Tab-separated table of all heavy atoms in Angstrom:
chain	number	residue	atom	x	y	z
A	1	MET	N	83.745	-107.148	-170.365
A	1	MET	CA	82.827	-107.123	-171.440
A	1	MET	C	82.508	-108.579	-171.898
A	1	MET	O	81.378	-108.811	-172.359
A	1	MET	CB	83.346	-106.307	-172.597
A	1	MET	CG	82.369	-106.133	-173.660
A	1	MET	SD	82.903	-105.138	-175.103
A	1	MET	CE	83.293	-103.685	-174.157
A	2	SER	N	83.484	-109.568	-171.945
A	2	SER	CA	83.274	-110.854	-172.302
A	2	SER	C	82.159	-111.430	-171.519
A	2	SER	O	81.314	-112.139	-172.060
A	2	SER	CB	84.548	-111.640	-172.193
A	2	SER	OG	84.375	-112.921	-172.656
A	3	LYS	N	82.153	-111.277	-170.192
A	3	LYS	CA	81.146	-111.842	-169.362
A	3	LYS	C	79.746	-111.259	-169.811
A	3	LYS	O	78.836	-111.947	-169.699
A	3	LYS	CB	81.431	-111.604	-167.821
A	3	LYS	CG	82.631	-112.427	-167.361
A	3	LYS	CD	82.833	-112.115	-165.927
A	3	LYS	CE	84.032	-113.037	-165.439
A	3	LYS	NZ	84.248	-112.886	-164.016
A	4	TYR	N	79.727	-109.941	-169.982
A	4	TYR	CA	78.456	-109.309	-170.401
A	4	TYR	C	77.934	-109.922	-171.689
A	4	TYR	O	76.714	-110.218	-171.711
A	4	TYR	CB	78.780	-107.799	-170.603
A	4	TYR	CG	77.570	-106.999	-171.030
A	4	TYR	CD1	76.602	-106.525	-170.099
A	4	TYR	CD2	77.336	-106.689	-172.400
A	4	TYR	CE1	75.503	-105.780	-170.406
A	4	TYR	CE2	76.187	-105.929	-172.702
A	4	TYR	CZ	75.341	-105.554	-171.804
A	4	TYR	OH	74.249	-104.803	-172.200
A	5	LEU	N	78.829	-110.135	-172.647
A	5	LEU	CA	78.363	-110.700	-173.848
A	5	LEU	C	77.963	-112.173	-173.680
A	5	LEU	O	76.924	-112.588	-174.251
A	5	LEU	CB	79.534	-110.657	-174.903
A	5	LEU	CG	79.882	-109.289	-175.448
A	5	LEU	CD1	81.050	-109.290	-176.386
A	5	LEU	CD2	78.592	-108.635	-176.181
A	8	HIS	N	74.533	-112.307	-172.185
A	8	HIS	CA	73.277	-112.016	-173.097
A	8	HIS	C	73.277	-112.705	-174.384
A	8	HIS	O	72.221	-112.724	-175.013
A	8	HIS	CB	73.405	-110.502	-173.246
A	8	HIS	CG	73.169	-109.709	-171.990
A	8	HIS	ND1	74.112	-109.155	-171.231
A	8	HIS	CD2	72.040	-109.566	-171.256
A	8	HIS	CE1	73.661	-108.694	-170.175
A	8	HIS	NE2	72.331	-108.875	-170.192
A	16	LEU	N	67.964	-108.097	-172.415
A	16	LEU	CA	68.250	-106.782	-173.166
A	16	LEU	C	67.222	-106.422	-174.225
A	16	LEU	O	67.288	-105.575	-175.007
A	16	LEU	CB	69.560	-106.885	-173.904
A	16	LEU	CG	70.849	-106.990	-173.037
A	16	LEU	CD1	72.104	-107.086	-173.889
A	16	LEU	CD2	70.887	-105.774	-172.067
A	31	LEU	N	72.476	-105.249	-180.920
A	31	LEU	CA	73.144	-105.498	-179.854
A	31	LEU	C	73.823	-104.230	-179.081
A	31	LEU	O	73.623	-103.881	-177.914
A	31	LEU	CB	74.240	-106.500	-179.894
A	31	LEU	CG	75.223	-106.829	-178.644
A	31	LEU	CD1	74.391	-107.400	-177.501
A	31	LEU	CD2	76.337	-107.715	-179.085
A	32	LEU	N	74.362	-103.417	-180.026
A	32	LEU	CA	74.949	-102.166	-179.556
A	32	LEU	C	73.955	-101.270	-178.969
A	32	LEU	O	74.223	-100.602	-177.960
A	32	LEU	CB	75.905	-101.507	-180.619
A	32	LEU	CG	77.020	-102.343	-181.231
A	32	LEU	CD1	77.707	-101.594	-182.299
A	32	LEU	CD2	78.018	-102.635	-180.016
A	33	GLU	N	72.840	-101.072	-179.708
A	33	GLU	CA	71.756	-100.190	-179.292
A	33	GLU	C	71.140	-100.733	-177.953
A	33	GLU	O	70.864	-99.850	-177.076
A	33	GLU	CB	70.688	-100.199	-180.347
A	33	GLU	CG	71.121	-99.381	-181.520
A	33	GLU	CD	70.192	-99.505	-182.719
A	33	GLU	OE1	69.015	-100.047	-182.516
A	33	GLU	OE2	70.606	-99.038	-183.769
A	34	ALA	N	71.018	-101.969	-177.768
A	34	ALA	CA	70.424	-102.586	-176.618
A	34	ALA	C	71.364	-102.383	-175.388
A	34	ALA	O	70.955	-102.010	-174.262
A	34	ALA	CB	70.111	-104.013	-176.754
A	35	SER	N	72.660	-102.471	-175.571
A	35	SER	CA	73.622	-102.271	-174.557
A	35	SER	C	73.567	-100.777	-174.008
A	35	SER	O	73.688	-100.542	-172.823
A	35	SER	CB	75.064	-102.719	-174.962
A	35	SER	OG	75.601	-101.775	-175.838
A	36	VAL	N	73.342	-99.809	-174.936
A	36	VAL	CA	73.210	-98.437	-174.500
A	36	VAL	C	71.946	-98.193	-173.733
A	36	VAL	O	72.008	-97.693	-172.716
A	36	VAL	CB	73.248	-97.525	-175.723
A	36	VAL	CG1	72.818	-96.087	-175.420
A	36	VAL	CG2	74.682	-97.557	-176.400
A	37	ARG	N	70.936	-98.905	-174.137
A	37	ARG	CA	69.578	-98.689	-173.475
A	37	ARG	C	69.630	-99.258	-172.076
A	37	ARG	O	68.887	-98.833	-171.246
A	37	ARG	CB	68.517	-99.411	-174.230
A	37	ARG	CG	67.914	-98.691	-175.424
A	37	ARG	CD	66.626	-99.292	-175.884
A	37	ARG	NE	66.613	-100.610	-176.026
A	37	ARG	CZ	67.022	-101.346	-177.256
A	37	ARG	NH1	67.473	-100.603	-178.240
A	37	ARG	NH2	67.050	-102.715	-177.296
A	38	HIS	N	70.569	-100.260	-171.838
A	38	HIS	CA	70.690	-100.912	-170.574
A	38	HIS	C	71.935	-100.431	-169.766
A	38	HIS	O	72.472	-101.271	-168.995
A	38	HIS	CB	70.628	-102.321	-170.748
A	38	HIS	CG	69.185	-102.867	-171.128
A	38	HIS	ND1	68.724	-102.836	-172.498
A	38	HIS	CD2	68.116	-103.246	-170.323
A	38	HIS	CE1	67.544	-103.313	-172.375
A	38	HIS	NE2	67.103	-103.496	-171.250
A	39	SER	N	72.313	-99.206	-170.064
A	39	SER	CA	73.370	-98.586	-169.342
A	39	SER	C	74.793	-99.376	-169.244
A	39	SER	O	75.495	-99.342	-168.353
A	39	SER	CB	72.948	-98.306	-167.859
A	39	SER	OG	71.755	-97.510	-167.830
A	40	PHE	N	75.067	-100.067	-170.400
A	40	PHE	CA	76.418	-100.694	-170.582
A	40	PHE	C	76.785	-100.418	-171.979
A	40	PHE	O	76.905	-101.380	-172.849
A	40	PHE	CB	76.276	-102.222	-170.264
A	40	PHE	CG	77.617	-102.856	-170.072
A	40	PHE	CD1	78.113	-102.981	-168.906
A	40	PHE	CD2	78.246	-103.407	-171.198
A	40	PHE	CE1	79.348	-103.569	-168.696
A	40	PHE	CE2	79.528	-103.991	-171.004
A	40	PHE	CZ	80.055	-104.078	-169.766
A	41	PRO	N	77.147	-99.163	-172.399
A	41	PRO	CA	77.454	-98.934	-173.734
A	41	PRO	C	78.746	-99.631	-174.286
A	41	PRO	O	79.653	-99.690	-173.586
A	41	PRO	CB	77.560	-97.386	-173.780
A	41	PRO	CG	77.757	-96.955	-172.330
A	41	PRO	CD	77.120	-97.997	-171.525
A	42	VAL	N	78.592	-100.163	-175.338
A	42	VAL	CA	79.668	-100.798	-176.092
A	42	VAL	C	79.843	-100.287	-177.504
A	42	VAL	O	78.834	-100.102	-178.197
A	42	VAL	CB	79.377	-102.409	-176.141
A	42	VAL	CG1	80.505	-103.192	-176.838
A	42	VAL	CG2	79.040	-102.973	-174.812
A	43	SER	N	81.054	-99.943	-177.824
A	43	SER	CA	81.375	-99.494	-179.200
A	43	SER	C	81.609	-100.578	-180.124
A	43	SER	O	81.938	-101.768	-179.703
A	43	SER	CB	82.392	-98.406	-179.125
A	43	SER	OG	83.681	-99.200	-179.019
A	46	GLU	N	85.138	-101.774	-179.555
A	46	GLU	CA	85.279	-102.705	-178.319
A	46	GLU	C	84.769	-104.114	-178.648
A	46	GLU	O	85.364	-105.012	-178.210
A	46	GLU	CB	84.508	-102.123	-177.145
A	46	GLU	CG	85.127	-100.763	-176.706
A	46	GLU	CD	84.239	-99.992	-175.681
A	46	GLU	OE1	82.976	-100.022	-175.841
A	46	GLU	OE2	84.770	-99.531	-174.542
A	50	VAL	N	86.964	-107.519	-178.432
A	50	VAL	CA	86.558	-108.692	-177.675
A	50	VAL	C	86.510	-110.030	-178.515
A	50	VAL	O	86.974	-111.025	-178.168
A	50	VAL	CB	85.218	-108.464	-176.815
A	50	VAL	CG1	84.701	-109.742	-176.270
A	50	VAL	CG2	85.345	-107.477	-175.838
Side-chain angles (χ1 to χ4, degrees):
M1 184 176 308
S2 179
K3 287 182 180 184
Y4 179 83
L5 291 175
H8 296 99
L16 293 181
L31 174 63
L32 297 177
E33 290 169 9
S35 69
V36 168
R37 281 193 312 273
H38 289 86
S39 302
F40 194 92
V42 177
S43 72
E46 290 170 322
V50 169

